[in-house]
Amino acid sequence: MTEFVLPPPAIASVAVAGSPERFAVRRIFCVGRNYAAHAREFGNDERDPPFFFTKPADAVVDSGATIPYPPLTGNLHHEIELVAAIGKPGFRIAREQALDHVWGYGVGIDLTRRDLQDEAKKMARPWDWSKAFDRSAPCGPLIPAAKSGHPQKGRIWLAVDGKVRQDADLAELIWPIADIVSICSEAVELEPGDLIFTGTPAGVGAVRAGDKMTGGVDGIGTIEITIGQPK
Ligand code: MN
């Protein structure tokens, strides 16, 4: 047995709906843009191929948590997203087989330090500091695809203090889940435990300390996250 000089870190994980068992998280991949209206609000051509960025596995946070307002930003944005949880390894997965690799689905929020992202874009710098910070990947309980099926349509929404900010339908995804899994697997060998945040619809905006975000995807689940005072 391998011995470590320090105790190894806890395994990052997300809840599973209706089960005491949790889903161990290996990596988090995120699609940069995947809804036409959101691509347009940032001035992009919706026909561009998808691109990806990553977050650390331990950026996941359970629904119900309070997240301290993160450092280095004055413009923290919510992005509600359908999350696909990979359950079977695959490299260069064909689109037709891609959904066989998805174990389940959840509802996530891709928290974004928008001011740092704007600066990174302007300076042609990496996005990491805008996307991959502590607690930047809240994710509600996963529902096994065996129960939910593989969603192709359904309302995706997010409200802040009860006021709906994002309201769209999965049918508006430029690249559906099967395409996203297939395309992602061309770049990396997907493994069980990998999460893919599949992009956000229009209506992203700022949250402040004290705000409560609630969101959901029809047939998949819901998430509720409160922003607390900064540390
Ligand atoms: Mn996003």
Side-chain angles (χ1 to χ4, degrees), residues 30-33 38 53 55 78-81 109-112 114 117 127 131 197-200 204:
C30 308
V31 180
R33 70 176 78 98
H38 175 63
F53 58 90
K55 292 176 186 262
H78 56 76
E79 297 190 355
I80 191 79
E81 311 203 358
I109 303 175
D110 166 15
L111 286 175
T112 302
R114 193 71 71 199
Q117 187 193 31
W127 280 15
K131 289 289 196 178
F197 280 59
T198 58
T200 198
V204 302

Side-chain angles (χ1 to χ4, degrees), residues 75-129:
N75 197 18
L76 178 68
H77 273 207
H78 56 76
E79 297 190 355
I80 191 79
E81 311 203 358
L82 174 69
V83 177
I86 300 297
K88 186 174 130 183
F91 181 46
R92 296 178 183 141
I93 303 165
R95 190 195 180 284
E96 296 70 31
Q97 269 86 57
L99 294 180
D100 299 342
H101 293 256
V102 179
W103 181 85
Y105 295 93
V107 180
I109 303 175
D110 166 15
L111 286 175
T112 302
R113 295 192 280 210
R114 193 71 71 199
D115 38 6
L116 295 194
Q117 187 193 31
D118 290 344
E119 192 184 341
K121 285 178 177 173
K122 209 181 306 166
M123 309 284 281
R125 284 179 181 159
W127 280 15
D128 302 53
W129 260 203

Side-chain angles (χ1 to χ4, degrees), residues 35-42 76-80 114 156-160 163-168 172 200-207 213:
Y35 289 81
H38 175 63
R40 277 196 298 271
E41 78 184 351
F42 280 77
L76 178 68
H77 273 207
H78 56 76
E79 297 190 355
I80 191 79
R114 193 71 71 199
I156 177 168
W157 60 276
L158 179 137
V160 177
K163 194 176 167 208
V164 175
R165 297 251 194 108
Q166 296 187 266
D167 197 353
E172 297 164 39
T200 198
V204 302
V207 282
M213 298 175 283

